[in-house]
Amino acid sequence: MAWVYLIIGILAEVCGTTSMKLSQGFSKLIPSIALFVFYGLSLVLVNLALKRLDVSVAYAVWSAVGTAIIATIGVLYFKEPLNLIKIGSLVLIVLGVVGLNLGSK
């Protein structure tokens, strides 16, 4: 169940970060409210996941997967530029998470 909490927490964090972008500096009400709701939900779920998961693994997965999803949303939805540096950086993030997972076993 801890991994389910973590995955849903990641998705909530992604929704919160997307809401942050959509709020346009807190100038749009609904995305501004959604930002706090989603981040709050994310923190609650990650906290529940930490009952069973190592903090190093849970936080690495939470931040890395969230970063990768947000980068993808940025490119596909917000039309942000994609280049080799960004791709390489995302690959390094994923490799770091894999390394932490392997190191915790």
Side-chain angles (χ1 to χ4, degrees):
M1 196 66 190
W3 284 102
V4 173
Y5 287 142
L6 184 62
I7 291 166
I8 297 170
I10 290 167
L11 296 175
E13 187 267 336
V14 166
C15 290
T17 303
T18 304
S19 296
M20 186 186 307
K21 175 73 171 172
L22 294 172
S23 78
Q24 297 180 358
F26 296 113
S27 65
K28 303 229 175 186
L29 181 62
I30 300 300
S32 296
I33 292 170
L35 179 158
F36 291 103
V37 170
F38 285 124
Y39 272 127
L41 178 62
S42 177
L43 293 174
V44 167
L45 291 166
V46 172
N47 193 17
L48 292 172
L50 288 175
K51 286 182 172 182
R52 300 262 189 252
L53 300 175
D54 292 344
V55 69
S56 61
V57 172
Y59 189 76
V61 170
W62 179 60
S63 60
V65 172
T67 299
I69 294 171
I70 284 297
T72 303
I73 290 170
V75 169
L76 297 177
Y77 185 77
F78 294 114
K79 307 298 182 210
E80 295 174 358
L82 182 64
N83 57 43
L84 288 177
I85 303 265
K86 285 184 181 180
I87 293 169
S89 298
L90 288 170
V91 168
L92 289 172
I93 290 169
V94 171
L95 290 174
V97 170
V98 169
L100 282 172
N101 276 307
L102 292 174
S104 71
K105 294 182 179 177

